[in-house]
Amino acid sequence: MPSWLSVSTSAITTLNRWIFQATVWLMAIVVPVMLYEVIARYVFNAPTVWGMELAVLLFGPYFLLGGPYLLHLKGHVALDVARQRLSPAWQRRLDLVNFPIIVLFCAILLYFSAPAAYSAFAYRETSFSAWNPPIWPVKAAVPLALALMLLQAVVEFFRTLFGEATVNASPAEAHP
């Protein structure tokens, strides 16, 4: 792989790893909020108007922004039973077809999600619930995550094309 491409692919993967490590901490908010909601609802019969909605609003970006680095770790759902029966050469060919499909899929979703996110930001869209928090940041996470996933799929395509093995991080490296 040319050095400029190697530097670019490393930078994209590093960015996605940093974002992944930052979004993991959203669970440090979601779990106590859900615990509080369950106790308030079932022990004190006093549910909150914000607990469940906050958990949902935080889980969306957590789920979306973790995906690009998970692609690098090969952590997405795959047909491993069928794939394991293929030779390494056929696995490589499959990846060389698969990554452009991911890029195309992300590009199509990005095309449709970016205007929706922009509109939500322009109108300062809220949830219209009793709590009524702004939801435009969550909608903005969708095209951001799609752009990052698209870039990571391009990176993985080039790594496969040039025969560079993806070094899977250990669980300690994947989580802060």
Side-chain angles (χ1 to χ4, degrees), residues 44-165:
F44 300 108
N45 197 27
T48 66
V49 297
W50 55 269
M52 186 60 74
E53 190 169 12
L54 178 61
V56 169
L57 290 175
L58 292 177
F59 190 74
Y62 165 79
F63 176 77
L64 291 169
L65 294 171
Y69 190 62
L70 198 59
L71 180 66
H72 170 70
L73 296 177
K74 299 190 184 321
H76 288 283
V77 175
L79 294 172
D80 288 335
V81 174
R83 186 180 172 90
Q84 288 174 350
R85 295 172 191 239
L86 298 174
S87 69
W90 275 103
Q91 288 180 18
R92 182 175 178 271
R93 289 180 190 120
L94 189 63
D95 284 343
L96 289 173
V97 171
N98 187 34
F99 289 125
I101 291 171
I102 293 170
V103 168
L104 179 63
F105 182 71
C106 288
I108 291 167
L109 291 178
L110 184 60
Y111 176 80
F112 288 103
S113 67
Y118 177 76
S119 177
F121 173 76
Y123 290 111
R124 301 289 191 238
E125 186 176 351
T126 62
S127 71
F128 300 106
S129 68
W131 181 38
N132 201 28
I135 61 169
W136 61 266
V138 176
K139 285 193 173 184
V142 174
L144 174 62
L146 287 166
L148 292 170
M149 180 69 84
L150 186 151
L151 289 172
Q152 191 65 48
V154 169
V155 164
E156 298 306 323
F157 175 80
F158 282 125
R159 285 188 174 138
T160 303
L161 183 66
F162 287 103
E164 290 188 7

